[in-house]
């Protein structure tokens, strides 16, 4: 059933500086959603240009999407078109997936692929698509929310660990989360899921980020966002908030001792 929409709720100032945690995901809830911008917002939807302008001319020439948000300086959003001579080969490996969002290669060349609607699948180099991998946490699929990034542990050959980022449920809304689990020997399910990171919960559906990488230093990096609203985007500028940041955690979810703000009073240590 479609989720109910709510009027834009007031934002508690404490939410903007709420810290990240490792609180667990819950089952789906019925907390009403709101779309991030009020219906009266002066947003102008513009069709995508069909033709790319000649090299050196301004690439984006459409009117501003939101006239109330001017550029920081003249020309900020008017980069010129650049053509490259690098050859690109495009080949369809698999089709019929539901909003594929991320992929990670297994050691044997197969790919773990997330479907934003909430399913994890394995795709072979020949294009065969597996049945859904079991035990994926419940996700909210709406707007920018869903099952997002997947990573394969650098020691997968011996530990079979994988990582997922997704927008999961909390008692008062939903939040960007990261979990780790073991891919079963038969590739059919995720076993022993551990909650590594939980961002503050919200009720909006826009701007959740969720991209992840494993660094050369063995730690996990996660991109977070600011929920799009005027009241919350200031969080990106506040060291006390995990929102609108690049967070860094160890692969077991602990906080690295050499993180930049780990010893700064009041700051988000991740």
């Amino acid at each position: 059933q479609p989720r109910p929409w709510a009027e834009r709720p007031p934002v508690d100032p404490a939410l903007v500086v709420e810290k990240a945690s490792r609180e667990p995901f819950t089952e789906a809830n019925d907390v009403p959603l709101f779309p991030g911008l009020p219906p009266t917002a002066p947003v102008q939807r513009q069709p995508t240009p069909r033709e790319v302008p000649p090299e050196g001319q301004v690439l984006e020439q459409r009117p501003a999407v939101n006239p109330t948000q001017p550029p920081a300086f003249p020309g900020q959003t008017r980069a010129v078109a650049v053509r490259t001579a690098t050859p690109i080969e495009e080949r369809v490996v698999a089709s019929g997936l539901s909003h594929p969002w991320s992929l990670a290669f297994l050691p044997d060349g197969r790919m773990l692929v997330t479907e934003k609607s909430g399913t994890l699948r394995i795709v072979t180099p020949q294009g065969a698509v597996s049945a859904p991998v079991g035990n994926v946490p419940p996700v909210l699929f709406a707007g920018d929310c869903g099952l997002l990034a997947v990573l394969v542990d650098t020691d997968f050959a011996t530990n079979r660990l994988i990582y997922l980022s997704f927008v999961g449920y909390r008692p008062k809304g939903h939040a960007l989360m990261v979990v780790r689990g073991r891919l079963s020997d038969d590739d059919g399910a995720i076993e022993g899921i551990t909650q590594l990171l939980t961002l503050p919960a919200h009720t909006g559906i826009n701007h959740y980020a969720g991209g992840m990488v494993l660094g050369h230093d063995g730690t996990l990096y996660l991109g977070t966002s600011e929920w799009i609203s005027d009241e919350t985007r200031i969080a990106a500028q506040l060291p006390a908030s995990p929102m609108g940041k690049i967070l860094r955690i160890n692969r077991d979810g602990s906080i690295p001792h050499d993180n930049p703000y780990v010893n700064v009073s009041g700051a988000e240590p991740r």
Side-chain angles (χ1 to χ4, degrees):
Q1 296 296 323
R3 295 290 298 276
W5 295 101
E7 293 296 324
R8 189 182 190 84
V11 174
D12 182 349
L15 179 64
V16 177
V17 293
E18 183 178 337
K19 297 291 188 292
S21 71
R22 298 180 66 172
E23 292 296 319
F25 62 83
T26 65
E27 293 301 315
N29 59 46
D30 294 322
V31 176
L33 310 176
F34 78 95
L37 290 172
T40 56
V43 173
Q44 303 177 21
R45 305 294 181 188
Q46 303 290 336
T48 302
R50 293 184 176 273
E51 301 294 334
V52 177
E55 186 169 13
Q57 293 188 15
V58 172
L59 179 64
E60 178 56 86
Q61 303 184 47
R62 294 174 293 176
V65 172
N66 189 342
T68 67
Q69 298 177 3
F73 54 86
Q76 181 189 23
T77 62
R78 295 295 184 256
V80 298
V82 176
R83 295 185 183 276
T84 174
T86 303
I88 298 175
E89 177 185 354
E90 181 179 300
R91 181 170 64 92
V92 176
V93 175
S95 59
L97 296 166
S98 172
H99 305 276
W101 201 92
S102 172
L103 66 83
F105 283 95
L106 295 167
D108 61 7
R110 295 178 301 155
M111 296 162 278
L112 287 171
V113 179
T114 61
E115 295 179 304
K116 195 177 173 188
S117 51
T119 303
L120 178 67
R121 298 184 187 272
I122 298 176
V123 178
T124 69
Q126 294 75 34
V129 179
S130 76
V133 175
N135 295 341
V136 171
V139 307
L140 170 66
F141 176 46
D144 295 330
C145 306
L147 180 59
L148 304 174
V150 58
L151 293 177
V152 171
D153 193 272
T154 51
D155 297 319
F156 180 86
T158 56
N159 62 25
R160 296 188 63 82
L161 292 177
I162 64 173
Y163 304 81
L164 295 174
S165 70
F166 60 100
V167 178
Y169 293 97
R170 294 287 299 140
K172 295 183 179 180
H174 46 270
L176 179 65
M177 304 179 180
V178 177
V179 298
R180 181 181 75 175
R182 182 183 184 275
L183 185 65
S184 62
D185 292 335
D186 63 1
D187 301 327
I190 304 174
E191 303 171 335
I193 291 177
T194 300
Q195 193 90 16
L196 302 186
L197 186 64
T198 303
L199 275 292
H202 198 38
T203 56
I205 62 170
N206 299 115
H207 287 204
Y208 276 79
M212 295 191 297
V213 295
L214 286 171
H216 294 297
D217 58 2
T219 61
L220 188 152
Y221 294 80
L222 171 75
T224 72
S225 192
E226 36 50 276
W227 300 321
I228 204 173
S229 71
D230 292 335
E231 297 91 343
T232 59
R233 63 166 52 98
I234 187 61
Q237 305 299 321
L238 302 177
S241 172
M243 308 308 301
K245 308 292 194 303
I246 302 295
L247 303 184
R248 177 177 180 253
I249 60 174
N250 291 317
R251 288 183 287 174
D252 62 359
S254 61
I255 301 172
H257 66 85
D258 57 348
N259 269 4
Y261 289 94
V262 72
N263 293 316
V264 177
S265 177
E268 167 57 59
R270 296 168 179 81

